Amino acid sequence: MTGGSLGLRTGSYGSLQQQVQNGFLPATQTTPILVRKPTKMLFSSSREKERILLFICRYAGRRRVAMLLLVILALLVFVFGSFMVNKESNSTSHIGSMNPYLSNHPMSSNPSRVEDNLGDKNYSGQISLHGSDQSGAPSTPPPPPPTTIAAASRATYVSGSSLSSDHLCGKFVFPPPPPANSKRIGPRPCPVCYLPVEQAIASMPSSPSISPVLRNLTYAHDDNPIKTETHGGSDFGGYPSLKQRNDSFDIKESMAVHCGFVKGSKPGYQSGFDIDEADLMELEQFHDVIVASAIFGNYDVIQQPKNISEAARKNVPFYMFIDEETEAYMKNSSVLDSSKKVGLWRTIVVHNIPYTDPRRNGKVPKLLLHRIFPNVRYSIWIDGKLQLVVDPYQILERFLWRENANLAISKHYKRFDVYEEAEANKAAGKFDNASIDYQIEFYRREGLTPYSLAKFPITSDVPEGCVIVKEHIPITNLFTCLWFNEVDRFTPRDQLSFSTVRDKMMSKVSWNINMFLDCERRNFVIQAYHRDLLEQLSPPVTPVAPRIRYPPALPSNNPIVKSPVKKSNRRRGDRKSGQRRHRKVVAGGRDNNPF
């Protein structure tokens, strides 16, 4: 092997000109190429890396350093995870804002929940609308864009949207949604613009509203009702045939329909749901406005209204219907005395209640107030578990008079479809599943379809029926009569039959119901738990064990032994957690006591 080849393989450090002369490189390259020798910095840097590695290995083995590294690593993982979660929630909120019903129905952070929650929660979420039109046939015009529907729906329910600029609530709008907060779950109230009580009273119409088409409504009477069909009806509500039921939806100028109290000369007198004669005379008095509620089967705890004006205290009676069981409990607990008054509530005791189910009994005053109070213009019904916290005049002005409506009820905070409501009732065990399935199948055969955008401007088929604000005129009285007949024929779950009665009536007459936001309802009523849940939630009272006294020990010459107490800088009475107090040991104590 030549020296040149050896120099070429080993990367000789000779000059390029000499290599060209020796024939190892071509002579055509005249410009010299400088090749830098590897400096000592390269070797020093590699040595430094080795030293750093050895240093890390030497100290990483120590316990404190290892723990510090683990803490730093955990901190980095936590920060990275928090960043990813925030990024994902922001993207979900952005997607939820594209929902066509989002502006009208505020959402929770859980995409599967839909809650009227303006003012206190984030607005992200989704709504599942079963049965929406997916055919895409070219002859059928496509529904409006979601943003247009959302804007129209929003304008329908924003307070004061149709008011003049000089109205106190004319410029009121819902505040922008608050930032997302996963800790605030569940439906919340939203702001509502109420007029002052004096102005609300001044807004009361001087004459009743005009009832469309229907002018004269009478009620069926039968002292000996006989069941002619296999399903539905009762001795209290009668047994209307399917033909009679269907004819009752054909609205005419004069109509006679079943509406409870089929027996007796008048409602409350030998009709089932009987009321004392003195109370009946009071219920027949004229009132512009009443507030009514009921507790049957001792199911709820009576809630006292708040923020009631002096005018309402003087002119608006508050009636609470109770059965004998509830009356006995209230008397035994000293809540009710001979005055029949519990705070603002005037109790009305009901005898001979028509149903064994307290929920069905509660539907009688809820839906048939116009039969119990024949001379009342306006009524506000609230369930027995609710507490009224806004003046009745302000509620009537906001949801009836301002909207030119004669019946108002809030939408369900979460569900809009009857089929979904039925499944939720079955899952929660609200009633017998077979009865719910029978009712829904009956409605399906009649033409009930899942809720879809085709029903707009109707935005819900499911009410939150615990509050009903009503003007007593023939068309609204007919609606609650037919609604009660459905409850009497099928299940007492009135949310399932509401849309069927409403849609059948709306197909015959130009009339509508003000279905306001559930978050607005939560603004003027506060919901409490039922009595059984309150008793379960209340902490059990732990009995105090009696102190055992032992007889004194016999005299003994043994000395008293005290445990040594170390001096400490702690103040008197302070002691460490888990430290037991030392006690004196007396000779002849309990173990050595001969007694």
Side-chain angles (χ1 to χ4, degrees), residues 27 67 264 290 363 595:
M67 291 298 296
I290 65 163
K363 298 301 185 291
F595 291 95

Side-chain angles (χ1 to χ4, degrees), residues 96-107 114-116 118 123 125-129 132 143 145-154 157 411 416 451-460 517:
S97 65
M98 303 293 290
N99 193 285
Y101 285 87
L102 186 59
S103 59
N104 191 18
H105 305 289
M107 312 301 175
V114 180
E115 299 167 349
D116 284 330
L118 292 170
Y123 286 64
Q126 299 176 355
I127 295 179
S128 174
L129 299 178
S132 58
T147 55
T148 304
I149 292 180
S153 180
R154 175 72 170 177
Y157 292 100
K411 298 176 292 186
F416 309 93
Y451 179 79
S452 66
L453 296 178
K455 280 196 170 184
F456 187 82
I458 295 176
T459 56
S460 177
L517 297 175

Side-chain angles (χ1 to χ4, degrees), residues 382-576:
I382 62 173
D383 280 0
K385 62 183 177 182
L386 299 181
Q387 180 186 31
L388 190 69
V389 294
V390 174
D391 191 83
Y393 289 115
Q394 294 177 308
I395 296 173
L396 287 165
E397 188 280 329
R398 169 61 191 90
F399 298 105
L400 286 190
W401 306 333
R402 191 187 304 179
E403 303 293 337
N404 293 322
N406 43 54
L407 196 147
I409 190 170
S410 68
K411 298 176 292 186
H412 195 279
Y413 76 95
K414 182 179 179 180
R415 291 180 290 275
F416 309 93
D417 179 62
V418 176
Y419 290 93
E420 292 182 359
E421 177 67 17
E423 293 301 320
N425 276 259
K426 293 194 297 183
K430 296 293 185 179
F431 203 72
D432 177 62
N433 289 0
S435 300
I436 294 177
D437 290 337
Y438 177 86
Q439 182 177 4
I440 297 301
E441 177 62 20
F442 184 91
Y443 290 158
R444 188 191 66 80
R445 292 180 180 178
E446 281 194 328
L448 175 67
T449 58
Y451 179 79
S452 66
L453 296 178
K455 280 196 170 184
F456 187 82
I458 295 176
T459 56
S460 177
D461 282 347
V462 181
E464 187 68 62
C466 55
V467 173
I468 301 177
V469 186
K470 175 186 174 184
E471 180 183 7
H472 292 199
I473 59 176
I475 192 68
T476 59
N477 295 341
L478 175 65
F479 172 79
T480 52
C481 282
L482 302 185
W483 193 6
F484 175 82
N485 292 342
E486 295 299 294
V487 171
D488 196 34
R489 176 179 289 271
F490 298 106
T491 70
R493 306 307 300 171
D494 49 21
Q495 297 95 333
L496 302 180
S497 53
F498 169 83
S499 64
T500 294
V501 179
R502 178 201 61 189
D503 294 347
K504 286 179 177 292
M505 289 184 60
M506 288 178 58
S507 66
K508 298 292 184 177
V509 65
S510 178
W511 175 75
N512 201 355
I513 298 174
N514 177 21
M515 294 192 71
F516 54 92
L517 297 175
D518 181 71
C519 68
E520 294 178 300
R521 176 190 64 83
R522 295 175 186 272
N523 181 280
F524 63 85
V525 290
I526 297 177
Q527 181 169 322
Y529 292 106
H530 294 298
R531 182 183 297 277
D532 55 348
L533 293 178
L534 289 175
E535 293 175 351
Q536 294 176 9
L537 293 175
S538 59
V541 179
T542 304
V544 179
R547 188 174 181 179
I548 302 175
R549 295 182 178 272
Y550 295 95
L554 292 176
S556 175
N557 295 327
N558 296 333
I560 297 175
V561 179
K562 294 184 178 180
S563 300
V565 179
K566 296 182 180 180
K567 293 183 178 181
S568 174
N569 294 329
R570 295 192 302 272
R571 293 178 299 177
R572 184 177 181 182
D574 296 341
R575 62 191 182 97
K576 293 182 181 179

Side-chain angles (χ1 to χ4, degrees), residues 4-229:
S5 63
L6 181 60
L8 182 62
R9 289 178 60 88
T10 58
S12 175
Y13 291 44
S15 65
L16 290 176
Q17 292 180 356
Q18 183 178 1
Q19 293 183 19
V20 170
Q21 292 175 359
N22 294 336
F24 296 112
L25 290 177
T28 57
Q29 183 175 356
T30 58
T31 304
I33 300 177
L34 299 179
V35 178
R36 298 184 61 181
K37 298 180 181 180
T39 61
K40 295 182 179 180
M41 291 296 297
L42 296 176
F43 296 98
S44 61
S45 62
S46 62
R47 293 193 186 110
E48 289 293 334
K49 292 179 180 179
E50 293 178 358
R51 291 177 182 176
I52 294 174
L53 183 60
L54 291 175
F55 178 81
I56 293 176
C57 293
R58 179 183 302 174
Y59 287 95
R62 299 184 180 182
R63 182 177 301 175
R64 294 183 180 179
V65 177
M67 291 298 296
L68 180 61
L69 293 176
L70 289 176
V71 170
I72 294 174
L73 179 61
L75 182 62
L76 292 176
V77 172
F78 175 77
V79 172
F80 178 75
S82 301
F83 172 77
M84 295 300 296
V85 169
N86 291 334
K87 182 177 179 181
E88 184 175 331
S89 64
N90 291 336
S91 62
T92 304
S93 177
H94 174 71
I95 293 173
S97 65
M98 303 293 290
N99 193 285
Y101 285 87
L102 186 59
S103 59
N104 191 18
H105 305 289
M107 312 301 175
S108 69
S109 57
N110 186 352
S112 64
R113 294 177 61 86
V114 180
E115 299 167 349
D116 284 330
N117 192 2
L118 292 170
D120 284 290
K121 277 186 54 92
N122 56 314
Y123 286 64
S124 62
Q126 299 176 355
I127 295 179
S128 174
L129 299 178
H130 296 283
S132 58
D133 189 5
Q134 302 290 340
S135 61
S139 59
T140 304
T147 55
T148 304
I149 292 180
S153 180
R154 175 72 170 177
T156 303
Y157 292 100
V158 172
S159 299
S161 59
S162 59
L163 300 177
S164 59
S165 58
D166 57 347
H167 194 280
L168 291 180
C169 297
K171 298 182 180 179
F172 173 78
V173 293
F174 284 120
N181 186 358
S182 59
K183 295 182 179 179
R184 300 290 299 244
I185 60 175
R188 304 288 178 183
C190 57
V192 177
C193 183
Y194 301 105
L195 287 184
V197 176
E198 296 77 9
Q199 296 187 28
I201 296 175
S203 302
M204 182 187 300
S206 58
S207 59
S209 301
I210 298 177
S211 177
V213 181
L214 180 62
R215 297 290 188 270
N216 183 27
L217 181 64
T218 57
Y219 309 106
H221 177 266
D222 188 358
D223 285 329
N224 187 25
I226 299 176
K227 189 173 184 177
T228 59
E229 297 179 355

